[in-house]
Every structure is written in structure tokens, then in C-alpha cells.
């Protein structure tokens, strides 16, 4: 589905992503974890072709279903965004237009890629919101982003992102601005989406617990480099890099023991 080959990117003279390589298979959830400033979000922006003003890609390649995204012009990328490749941002209240209802955003997102009436878009929106376990989807559609709770707004944003059936969903810290109980709802929503539609997900987070809950494969980034990569069980229980070990030791536990320590029971 997605292949990153020796990707490097920078802001000014500062390298943000350094020779990163990995792949995402169809229907797979890949988690990239690391502290703030490690290059996780920059990686997603490179994939979407949405770098900040000072950001630039220095080398490498990004292939979606075997096609180089870096070789495409902006017009061609626009056709892919939302249709084959979609993104969920950290703060949905900021990424969604505050002057549009959720229903209007649904309609505008779908009609960019296919002819659809407002009534058809509404029915599709109701169906997606129901599938994501949102009660009273009609009320959600009629609401503005600021009228919804954080969890409801994030799930509505996920529904909008997948409205055109993309094969790959990018998620940039999608739970960090949410309460712990709401985080679980959003995580379950994305995992259910993968199970129901086979959508591959690339999620970046500084929260090792979120990655441990969701991911099939895990990559660990530090200072722009991918310092560890492997199956979730391997990375979490048999980490090889000192930074990965430090991240795992930092995960709080209610019983006071470190992750991996045996129970007395």
C-alpha cells in the first residue's frame, strides 16, 4: 500500500527526517512512536504533500500502490487526497471548517471526487456515523464542529476522511487532545474501521499505550531517524535500542511495576 524509501526532509538547515524506510501493507495498522520533535508529524506531512512553508524533502521516495508521490504534480496529488489517501489531524475542531456544519463538510469532501447530490451525501454521512457508533447521527450532521465534544468531533472527522473509501488513512496524534475515556472510543473506532473496510492505517503518536493497543507493526523515531522497527510484540517485549527501552520504561502502570516485569500472582 505504502512504501517509504530512504526519505529525508528538513526545515531550513535542521534535518527533521533522516533516511527513513518502511512499508505499510494493505489492511495493516502501523504505529510510529517517539517524543515531540522526533519527526513523526513531518513524516506524515511529506506523505500527504503538505509540508510547512520552510519544509522541503531532500531525498528518497514515497510510493503509494507503486506510484511515486514525489513525482506527481499538485493537480495529480489533489486527486489522490481524500480518494486514495486521507488524513485525520490532532485537533479536529481546528482542521474542520468552523463555519460549515458537519453535513456540508461531508458533501464538499465527497463531491470533489465523485458526482453526488446533497441528499446522497447526507445518507452516506448518516451511514458512516452510525457505523462509527455515534448516536443521533442526524444531530451530528446538523452541528458545527465547536458544538460537538472532542470525541464526537474526532469521530466525525474520521468519518469524513474515509467518506471516499481511501485505502490508507494517516492519523497524526488523533487522541492526544482527548480525555482518556474518549481516547479509547477513538482508538476502537479506527480499529473497527480497519476490520470492516480493510483500510490500512499509519498512526503517529508519542503515546506508547495507544501504539501498543492499535498497531501490528511499530517503528520508533528519535531525532528524525527510525531507530527500531518490527512487529509490535517484538518491539514492546524485546526492544533492542536503548531509546525504545527508555520509552517503554516511561509508560505508567497502576501496580507500580515496569512493563515486562513479572507479577507476583
Amino acid at each position: 500500500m505504502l512504501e517509504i524509501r530512504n526519505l529525508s526532509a528538513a526545515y531550513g538547515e535542521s534535518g527533521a527526517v533522516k533516511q527513513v524506510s518502511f512499508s505499510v501493507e494493505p489492511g495493516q495498522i502501523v504505529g510510529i512512536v517517539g517524543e515531540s520533535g522526533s519527526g513523526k508529524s513531518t513524516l506524515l506531512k511529506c506523505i500527504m504533500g503538505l509540508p510547512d512553508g520552510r519544509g522541503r524533502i531532500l531525498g528518497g521516495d514515497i510510493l503509494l500502490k507503486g506510484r511515486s508521490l514525489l513525482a506527481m504534480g499538485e493537480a495529480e496529488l489533489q486527486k489522490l487526497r481524500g480518494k486514495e489517501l486521507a488524513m485525520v489531524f490532532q485537533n479536529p475542531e481546528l482542521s474542520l471548517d468552523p463555519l460549515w456544519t458537519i453535513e456540508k463538510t461531508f458533501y464538499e469532501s465527497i463531491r470533489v471526487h465523485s458526482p453526488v447530490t446533497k441528499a446522497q451525501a447526507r445518507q452516506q454521512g448518516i451511514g458512516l456515523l452510525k457505523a462509527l457508533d455515534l448516536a443521533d447521527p442526524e444531530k451530528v450532521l446538523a452541528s458545527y464542529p465547536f458544538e460537538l465534544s472532542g470525541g464526537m468531533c474526532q469521530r466525525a472527522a474520521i468519518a469524513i476522511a474515509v467518506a471516499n473509501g481511501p485505502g490508507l488513512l494517516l492519523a497524526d496524534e488523533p487522541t492526544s487532545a482527548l480525555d482518556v475515556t474518549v481516547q479509547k472510543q477513538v482508538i476502537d473506532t479506527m480499529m473497527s474501521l480497519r476490520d470492516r473496510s480493510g483500510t490500512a492505517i499509519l498512526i503517529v503518536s508519542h503515546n506508547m499505550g495507544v501504539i501498543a493497543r492499535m498497531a501490528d507493526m511499530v517503528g520508533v523515531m528519535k531525532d528524525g531517524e527510525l531507530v527500531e522497527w518490527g512487529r509490535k510484540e517484538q518491539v514492546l517485549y524485546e526492544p533492542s535500542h536503548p531509546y525504545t527501552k527508555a520509552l517503554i520504561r516511561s509508560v505508567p502502570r497502576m501496580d507500580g511495576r515496569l512493563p515486562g516485569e513479572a507479577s507476583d500472582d
Side-chain angles (χ1 to χ4, degrees), residues 2-250:
L2 177 73
E3 185 178 1
I4 309 295
R5 294 180 180 174
N6 300 314
L7 183 69
S8 295
Y11 293 102
E13 299 300 320
S14 177
V17 176
K18 306 171 185 176
Q19 296 288 310
V20 169
S21 298
F22 67 91
S23 62
V24 182
E25 301 297 326
Q28 191 177 60
I29 298 180
V30 171
I32 304 295
V33 67
E35 61 191 9
S36 298
S38 62
K40 309 182 304 298
S41 294
T42 299
L43 176 64
L44 293 193
K45 291 176 182 177
C46 290
I47 297 171
M48 286 296 290
L50 299 172
D52 293 340
R54 297 184 300 113
R56 68 191 192 281
I57 294 176
L58 302 178
D61 207 351
I62 304 170
L63 291 89
L64 182 68
K65 296 181 179 178
R67 302 167 60 196
S68 174
L69 298 181
L70 301 187
M72 296 181 184
E74 181 60 26
E76 194 171 2
L77 285 173
Q78 287 280 23
K79 294 178 181 179
L80 289 180
R81 295 186 191 121
K83 182 65 175 177
E84 298 185 38
L85 178 66
M87 187 164 176
V88 176
F89 295 90
Q90 179 176 350
N91 294 303
E93 299 92 338
L94 301 179
S95 62
L96 297 175
D97 193 319
L99 301 180
W100 286 5
T101 63
I102 300 300
E103 182 173 354
K104 183 174 182 180
T105 302
F106 256 112
Y107 172 64
E108 295 295 336
S109 299
I110 296 171
R111 80 177 187 90
V112 167
H113 299 286
S114 59
V116 64
T117 66
K118 291 184 178 180
Q120 290 171 331
R122 175 179 174 79
Q123 289 306 309
Q124 184 174 345
I126 290 173
L128 281 169
L129 293 175
K130 283 183 177 178
L132 297 180
D133 296 322
L134 272 170
D136 200 353
E138 290 87 353
K139 182 178 179 180
V140 173
L141 287 177
S143 300
Y144 292 91
F146 60 85
E147 294 179 313
L148 300 174
S149 68
M152 293 174 68
C153 198
Q154 188 63 289
R155 281 184 284 173
I158 293 172
I160 292 167
V162 301
N164 292 294
L168 177 64
L169 179 66
L170 308 180
D172 185 9
E173 300 274 11
T175 63
S176 65
L178 305 175
D179 295 336
V180 174
T181 53
V182 182
Q183 287 183 21
K184 182 180 184 302
Q185 296 174 356
V186 172
I187 289 170
D188 290 345
T189 293
M190 288 191 288
M191 295 185 71
S192 175
L193 172 67
R194 189 272 297 269
D195 294 340
R196 292 177 180 178
S197 62
T199 302
I201 299 174
L202 174 59
I203 176 173
V204 303
S205 178
H206 66 272
N207 189 326
M208 183 66 84
V210 170
I211 299 299
R213 175 76 175 89
M214 289 187 64
D216 302 309
M217 302 293 292
V218 175
V220 180
M221 287 192 72
K222 182 180 188 298
D223 298 329
E225 298 181 3
L226 193 67
V227 298
E228 188 141 11
W229 171 264
R231 294 199 61 79
K232 173 174 64 178
E233 296 78 10
Q234 172 191 341
V235 173
L236 295 183
Y237 296 106
E238 299 179 7
S240 60
H241 196 277
Y243 178 68
T244 308
K245 296 176 182 179
L247 279 181
I248 293 173
R249 285 196 301 269
S250 71

